[in-house]
Amino acid sequence: AGAVVTAPIRTFRIRPEKHGHLSIRVEIFQNKADLQAASKRENKAHGLRMGTPRKLIGQCVGVTDRRRGRKTGLFAVLRFPRQHLTMSTLTHEAFHATMRWAERKRITAVPTGPPSNSYHVATVEERCAEVQGEICRRLVVELMRAKLLPD
């Protein structure tokens, strides 16, 4: 008998920019074991021989999906088990998604330093901060809509 394939209990998409085409698919699993099984299946499907950490309570998978030779708007998949939908886990994984967004936007480094140093430093930092905030906001809105977070 093969392993039972457990699908996410809820899946939705969020867009980190109001008028952008880029999106993140969010998958919520019933429990940590189901998330870990999904991660293990994906690693195996892509020929990766890496194990899935037992402490895995959230995951951001970068995506380069191509159809007809062009990249699609999907750039990341966020996965969470239902019992770990905490602000700490959500913001941690949203940060990884923000880095995937920056990569897709060809932002190869976020310059650091006082914002007064240059307009470029402030602009890049602000774009990343806005996207991070919007990913977190939309995650919470969708999770509340699905009644997966308390009001």
Side-chain angles (χ1 to χ4, degrees), residues 1-22:
V4 175
V5 176
T6 306
I9 59 170
R10 182 84 164 97
T11 302
F12 55 89
R13 281 196 187 226
I14 57 176
R15 296 186 190 284
E17 299 171 288
K18 285 183 180 179
H19 304 292
H21 76 285
L22 297 179

Side-chain angles (χ1 to χ4, degrees), residues 70-119:
R70 299 182 66 182
K71 284 184 182 177
T72 66
L74 180 67
F75 68 91
V77 177
L78 290 177
R79 296 186 175 127
F80 304 96
R82 188 176 190 162
Q83 71 268 37
H84 288 284
L85 294 174
T86 64
M87 191 54 66
S88 177
T89 305
L90 294 174
T91 57
H92 177 96
E93 298 306 329
F95 179 78
H96 290 302
T98 301
M99 294 298 97
R100 300 294 70 76
W101 167 87
E103 182 178 57
R104 187 64 77 89
K105 291 288 193 170
R106 295 191 173 107
I107 298 171
T108 56
V110 177
T112 59
S116 60
N117 276 359
S118 78
Y119 178 76

